[in-house]
Amino acid sequence: MTKCRRLRAVSPIIAVAVSTFAVLSAPTVLGCGYHNPQMVARGLLNLTYPKALYVSTAIWQAENVGVLPPRERRRTRDLLAYHRMVSRLAALNAQVSKAADGDNAKVSFAVVLIDTMLWVRFAPVADGYAMRTHADGPGGSDVVVVTHSKVIAALASGRLNAGQAERYGLLRLYGSQNAQQAARDILLVATAHRSALKR
């Protein structure tokens, strides 16, 4: 075998090894879509939580019929998008904390935004709920809520309530039936009085 042929035979192996090393050694590949939009794990999410990707289709349909604001024709980089989303999540957390003051059973839940793969955990505390953004994922007993940043904005602003969002397929819950219902009840109470949508 000539030297040239040997190099051609080895080069694919080297390419795979270099690519694997680059992926495994770069800590930023695990970031959420706000900070690393090229590396989202929607496929893995759909394997872990079947039909999670249905939320993406539901978002598109809701935009088309006016349930959600229309999508931008030309996406521009928004440097404040993450901070604006954290503010909306904090508003939702305040609503959830207020709802938890009643007779509703407290349950921990984790929200994942399918457009950015940002995980946010909501954990019961003495005076309501504590929110943690950029969580690594759900805790062992968390109900998982798969949704989209537009839905969080709609819930926080009062455009939608959680019941409407679930009926439209804009959020999906995963976990045991009892835990799902507890999370659903909290979210319904937190957002019920704020919905402006009459559909």
Side-chain angles (χ1 to χ4, degrees), residues 70-170:
R71 56 193 166 276
E72 298 174 4
R73 292 188 178 183
R74 183 178 296 179
R75 293 190 67 180
T76 57
R77 188 166 178 80
D78 185 351
L79 298 178
L80 298 178
Y82 172 73
H83 299 287
R84 192 160 45 247
M85 182 49 51
V86 169
S87 176
R88 289 166 178 162
L89 286 161
L92 182 61
N93 185 62
Q95 294 167 225
V96 168
S97 293
K98 187 174 181 181
D101 288 341
D103 296 329
N104 301 294
K106 288 186 180 180
V107 61
S108 60
F109 59 97
V111 173
V112 58
L113 304 182
I114 201 163
D115 51 325
T116 61
M117 294 306 294
L118 175 69
W119 282 92
V120 184
R121 291 197 67 220
F122 295 80
V125 292
D127 57 348
Y129 273 79
M131 181 185 81
R132 181 161 62 90
T133 57
H134 268 300
D136 294 331
S141 61
D142 287 356
V143 173
V144 171
V145 181
V146 179
T147 190
H148 188 281
S149 59
K150 277 194 169 185
V151 179
I152 296 298
L155 293 174
S157 69
R159 183 182 179 95
L160 280 176
N161 64 46
Q164 292 165 330
E166 189 171 13
R167 284 195 299 275
Y168 281 115
L170 303 174

